[in-house]
Amino acid sequence: MHALNMEPSDDRAVAVSKIMATDVTKVYSTKKSQFVALDRVSFHVDAHEFVSFVGPSGCGKSSLLRILAGLESMTTGSLSISGHEIDGPGADRGMVFQTYTLFPWLSVRENIEFGLTLKGVPLFEKRAVSDHFMELVGLQKFARSLPKELSGGMKQRVAIARALANNPEVLLMDEPFGALDPQTKNSMQELLLRIWEKEKTTVVFITHDIEEAIFLSQRVYVMQAHPGRIRQEVVIPQGLRETLECKDTESFIKLKKQIISLIGDHEE
């Protein structure tokens, strides 16, 4: 049903990254001036990898994600998924925003099945998929509930399940937990990490929260603003992010201070 497309070889010399960005530039023009949101941004994300982007306000993180989603076009540069240039939205990408973007008149199950319904997927198959993802996000008992009956964290669980139900190659997440209270945010981080470890979907995650980026990611791209550029790539050591308690360890705190310093050195 949701089989993983595993790489045929571990040979990094011949492996092609899932996402490749080369010199991506985005310029917003008005009648009086131009604003460079992104300036020659280059990066890669490998298949099944979880990568975050952090940086100060105005560094172009959200613009970059919207370009990845096909919701905006870049001014110059090259950006591809699985070797195919991005030229608009596509079923190969799922999107989760900070706002919940659920259909208020549809139940939890119907929201999760929405994309499958549009594709004409048979009812028995839709039910199997929605059952799988409701179990994955712990909402089996709320299948018939409407969004207005759910908490903020539960709504985001539905949004994540809906995005994954379409079996995207890449999941794009723009500050998905930014509006949640700290306790709910922590539980959602743990849930997302468990989901990623199970499904191995390639994830690109945008956040202002440095702890969140370190806890969730295998690599973090630190951006600077005015114009938006990648300052540095930070590799998260394997085994650092086992549980939430890791945030109190010396290694975690040291890494957090390093990223804060990278951002602070270039904030204006």
Side-chain angles (χ1 to χ4, degrees):
M1 179 171 62
H2 278 252
L4 298 180
N5 296 317
M6 300 302 291
E7 296 294 329
S9 169
D10 289 330
D11 185 358
R12 300 287 299 198
V14 298
V16 177
S17 293
K18 175 64 71 175
I19 301 172
M20 283 293 297
T22 305
D23 293 334
V24 172
T25 297
K26 176 65 178 180
V27 180
Y28 293 99
S29 299
T30 65
K31 292 181 179 179
K32 296 183 179 180
S33 63
Q34 289 187 328
F35 171 69
V36 181
L38 296 168
D39 181 31
R40 293 167 295 170
V41 171
S42 298
F43 65 91
H44 74 281
V45 181
D46 291 337
H48 319 306
E49 193 177 21
F50 198 123
V51 171
S52 290
F53 287 79
V54 300
S57 297
C59 71
K61 300 188 300 293
S62 290
S63 292
L64 183 60
L65 203 73
R66 290 179 65 81
I67 293 171
L68 271 169
L71 301 175
E72 290 187 20
S73 59
M74 65 190 119
T75 306
T76 60
S78 173
L79 184 56
S80 64
I81 294 179
S82 298
H84 302 289
E85 286 287 326
I86 294 173
D87 59 3
D92 57 344
R93 282 149 286 159
M95 189 88 181
V96 179
F97 300 92
Q98 181 173 332
T99 52
Y100 308 120
T101 63
L102 300 178
F103 298 109
W105 60 89
L106 296 181
S107 68
V108 165
R109 183 185 292 280
E110 289 167 337
N111 264 286
I112 293 172
E113 293 178 351
F114 182 77
L116 302 175
T117 300
L118 291 181
K119 293 177 183 178
V121 173
L123 179 61
F124 75 92
E125 188 176 339
K126 283 195 305 182
R127 287 295 143 90
V129 172
S130 59
D131 282 343
H132 170 71
F133 285 104
M134 281 191 295
E135 181 179 0
L136 199 63
V137 299
L139 290 175
Q140 306 97 308
K141 296 179 180 179
F142 299 89
R144 297 182 179 180
S145 299
L146 295 173
K148 67 181 180 181
E149 302 171 292
L150 307 177
S151 67
M154 293 168 72
K155 290 176 185 177
Q156 277 301 52
R157 285 192 251 166
V158 178
I160 293 169
R162 183 178 64 181
L164 291 172
N166 291 303
N167 200 22
E169 294 184 41
V170 177
L171 182 61
L172 306 172
M173 309 188 79
D174 191 3
E175 297 274 0
F177 309 143
L180 303 177
D181 64 85
Q183 184 174 349
T184 303
K185 185 174 186 177
N186 282 337
S187 65
M188 288 299 295
Q189 289 170 5
E190 286 189 304
L191 174 65
L192 179 59
L193 198 54
R194 289 198 303 271
I195 291 172
W196 173 79
E197 288 169 347
K198 184 176 179 63
E199 298 293 312
K200 287 300 184 203
T201 304
T202 305
V203 178
V204 177
F205 194 94
I206 301 297
T207 181
H208 281 93
D209 187 331
I210 295 171
E211 283 191 2
E212 181 171 72
I214 297 171
F215 179 68
L216 291 173
S217 312
Q218 294 172 293
R219 289 186 298 121
V220 176
Y221 284 108
V222 183
M223 297 188 70
Q224 64 185 74
H226 315 303
R229 293 174 178 159
I230 290 177
R231 167 64 180 153
Q232 190 167 314
E233 171 193 347
V234 177
V235 177
I236 309 302
Q238 194 171 16
L240 178 66
R241 53 199 188 114
E242 298 297 331
T243 64
L244 285 171
E245 285 70 28
C246 74
K247 295 182 180 182
D248 297 322
T249 64
E250 183 178 346
S251 298
F252 193 101
I253 294 169
K254 183 178 180 180
L255 203 53
K256 179 182 176 182
K257 288 180 178 178
Q258 176 189 344
I259 294 175
I260 290 173
S261 177
L262 286 168
I263 295 173
D265 285 346
H266 292 85
E267 275 196 293
E268 296 181 10

